[in-house]
Amino acid sequence: KNEVEQSPQNLTAQEGEFITINCSYSVGISALHWLQQHPGGGIVSLFMLSSGKKKHGRLIATINIQEKHSSLHITASHPRDSAVYICAVRDYGQNFVFGPGTRLSVLP
Amino acid sequence: DSGVTQTPKHLITATGQRVTLRCSPRSGDLSVYWYQQSLDQGLQFLIQYYNGEERAKGNILERFSAQQFPDLHSELNLSSLELGDSALYFCASSPAVNQPQHFGDGTRLSIL
C-alpha cells in the first residue's frame, strides 16, 4: 500500500463543473502540500496545510488530520485548470512522500 | 516566473559520466530542495538545505551529492550515471524550513 494515495487517477470535466480530488495518507505528517504540474512540466505549489481549510481564488483545500485525508476543490472549472494535481505529505522524519497524481482535463 | 533558476535546462550524457545541476533560489529564500521525477517512480524528494546546512535527506543515492553555497545557490552532483537516472530534476526554494515552495522549471537529464 502506498503511503499517499489519490483519487481519481484521471478526471474529465466540462467547463464550469465543481471538481474534487482526494488524497489519503497513512503516516503521521507535519504538513500536506497540493501541487499543480502543467502539461509543459512546470510545478506550482498551490497550498500547504497542517489543519483546517485554505482558499485561493477558485481553489479550496481541506484537511482532516484525524481521518488522514485531504481534498482539493476547484469551483467553476476552466480549461486552463487542466493539469496533473499532486498531493505530497511531509512526515515527522522531514521526508516528503508524493502521491501518484490526478490528471484533470477540463473540456470547453 | 517563480524566481527559481535551474541550469542547464537539458543535459544529455552517457552512462558512467558525472554531471552537475545548478539552482539559484528565489531572492531571500534560505531553503533549497531537490527532487527527481522519473516516468516509473513519479516525484521523489532527494535532499533539503537551509542556509548552507543539510536539513533533511530523502531517497538520495550515494552516487548523488549536493551542497548549498554561501551565496545560497545549490548544486546537485550526479556521478557514475546509469540509464535509470534519466529524469527531470527539480529544485525548489522557500524562505524558511517549512513554508510553501517555489519550483524551478527543472533540468531534463537524458542518459544514453
Side-chain angles (χ1 to χ4, degrees), chain A residues 30 33 35 37 40-45 47-48 54 86 90 93-99, chain B residues 33 35 37 43-45 48 55-59 88 90 97-101 103-105:
Chain A
S30 59
H33 298 253
L35 309 175
Q37 186 166 28
I43 296 176
V44 175
S45 176
F47 295 103
M48 185 178 111
K54 287 190 176 180
I86 301 168
R90 188 155 212 189
Q94 298 297 301
N95 191 22
F96 286 92
V97 182
F98 292 85
Chain B
Y33 310 76
Y35 300 95
Q37 186 176 37
L43 266 167
Q44 291 194 87
F45 168 62
Q48 177 192 1
R55 178 72 183 193
K57 201 175 236 189
N59 301 322
L88 256 177
F90 287 100
V97 173
N98 285 314
Q99 292 189 326
Q101 299 170 34
F103 284 77
D105 291 337

Side-chain angles (χ1 to χ4, degrees), chain B residues 54-73:
Chain B
E54 183 183 301
R55 178 72 183 193
K57 201 175 236 189
N59 301 322
I60 189 165
L61 299 173
E62 286 191 12
R63 299 184 286 108
F64 296 180
S65 64
Q67 55 183 327
Q68 186 180 27
F69 294 87
D71 67 353
L72 301 177
H73 92 271

Side-chain angles (χ1 to χ4, degrees), chain B residues 81-101:
Chain B
L81 287 167
E82 302 175 359
L83 293 176
D85 298 328
S86 294
L88 256 177
Y89 291 84
F90 287 100
C91 168
S93 71
S94 64
V97 173
N98 285 314
Q99 292 189 326
Q101 299 170 34

Side-chain angles (χ1 to χ4, degrees), chain A residues 6-65:
Chain A
Q6 290 184 233
S7 63
Q9 189 175 355
N10 295 284
L11 180 56
T12 300
Q14 289 296 132
E15 183 173 356
E17 285 185 5
F18 180 84
I19 289 162
T20 296
I21 299 171
N22 296 297
C23 174
S24 297
Y25 53 92
S26 58
V27 296
I29 68 167
S30 59
L32 182 143
H33 298 253
W34 281 103
L35 309 175
Q36 179 192 53
Q37 186 166 28
H38 291 283
I43 296 176
V44 175
S45 176
L46 299 175
F47 295 103
M48 185 178 111
L49 295 161
S50 54
S51 65
K53 175 179 174 178
K54 287 190 176 180
K55 184 176 189 293
H56 181 69
R58 295 180 295 105
L59 303 179
I60 302 166
T62 64
I63 188 168
N64 185 317
I65 296 294

